[in-house]
Amino acid sequence: MSRKRIIAGNWKMNMTPSEAVALVNELKPLVVNEDVDVVFCVPAIDIIPAMEAAKGSNICIGAENMYYEEKGAYTGEISPNMLVDAGVKYVIIGHSERREYFTETDETVNKKVLKAFEHGITPIVCCGETLTQREQGITIDWIHQQIKIAFLNVTADQAKTAVIAYEPIWAIGTGKVATTEQAEEVCAAIRVCIGEIYDEATAEAIRIQYGGSVSASSAPELFTQPDIDGGLVGGASLKPDFGKIVNYNK
Ligand code: PGA
């Protein structure tokens, strides 16, 4: 079975609404590749203008975060219904920066993943180890634990549609991309973990991205590995280079 590649940009806290429109317009003609689902995950305030600018293109606009309650007294948060009403189909959940700076835990990640599915939004569930954990040789155990908690009470049918982003924390924004072997090893281990939680069919269907300093030069080798189904791209998603990354197979 062949899984369609999914390449998502993670804009992080960059781009004002007007800059977002300009960037979507600039990248629109560059990110055309019928073999790939292309997603731009943008700051909440940029979602609507980016969505307008992306109309008629193959770009899908996603969010970078979402809260797990329906509505109410949660000042500053974005609800699932707000995303749905804006037309959002994907949301990044549990990025390591949210875990580090905004007290996101495996448990809140799980609540958000369940809530996203409840509202028909596809979560891009992030996991990844620190450099210390890698040096201690506990990478796979750590990732398995993150995945098991993130997918607690998620059904097999839901999991089949999910996206997991494996992002070694030491590779994010550092220019230090994991080797193809390191990335493939962990993505394959994540697939095994999904097979253990669910079954073979779910493991075969779920899409697993690599993220961490992906560039136009590293993308072709990374995205053609058997268990790497695309990427989550930070820095390079804000540049015309993103077009080359999306067209990694051309
Ligand atoms: P980077 O970020 O590509 O700038 O390393 C990736 C991410 O944090 O998703």
Side-chain angles (χ1 to χ4, degrees), residues 8-17 19-20 23 39-47 62-65 92 95-98 100-102 126 167-175 211-214 232-238:
N10 172 12
W11 287 12
K12 309 195 180 187
M13 198 176 72
N14 295 295
M15 301 291 134
T16 64
E19 288 168 345
L23 184 60
V39 185
F40 287 16
C41 294
V42 307
I45 197 165
D46 294 344
I47 289 173
E64 298 177 12
N65 182 34
I92 299 175
H95 189 279
S96 62
E97 286 149 16
R98 295 216 55 88
E100 181 176 356
Y101 306 125
F102 304 100
C126 298
E167 299 202 303
I169 294 169
W170 48 271
I172 295 177
T174 57
S213 298
V214 171
L232 184 56
V233 183
S237 73
L238 301 169

Side-chain angles (χ1 to χ4, degrees), residues 39-75:
V39 185
F40 287 16
C41 294
V42 307
I45 197 165
D46 294 344
I47 289 173
I48 300 218
M51 194 82 73
E52 279 296 313
K55 256 192 193 141
S57 78
N58 60 321
I59 301 167
C60 203
I61 301 297
E64 298 177 12
N65 182 34
M66 181 198 86
Y67 200 47
Y68 53 75
E69 294 291 351
E70 290 294 330
K71 63 194 291 192
Y74 303 102
T75 303

Side-chain angles (χ1 to χ4, degrees), residues 66-70 80 91 93 106-123 125 148-156 158-159 162 198:
M66 181 198 86
Y67 200 47
Y68 53 75
E69 294 291 351
E70 290 294 330
V91 60
I93 301 288
D106 288 337
E107 287 71 25
T108 60
V109 167
N110 176 238
K111 285 184 183 179
K112 291 180 177 191
V113 167
L114 290 168
K115 201 41 110 173
F117 279 125
E118 198 183 301
H119 288 268
I121 306 172
T122 300
V125 186
K148 280 183 186 150
I149 301 175
F151 281 81
L152 215 60
N153 299 320
V154 172
T155 67
Q158 289 171 331
Y198 301 101

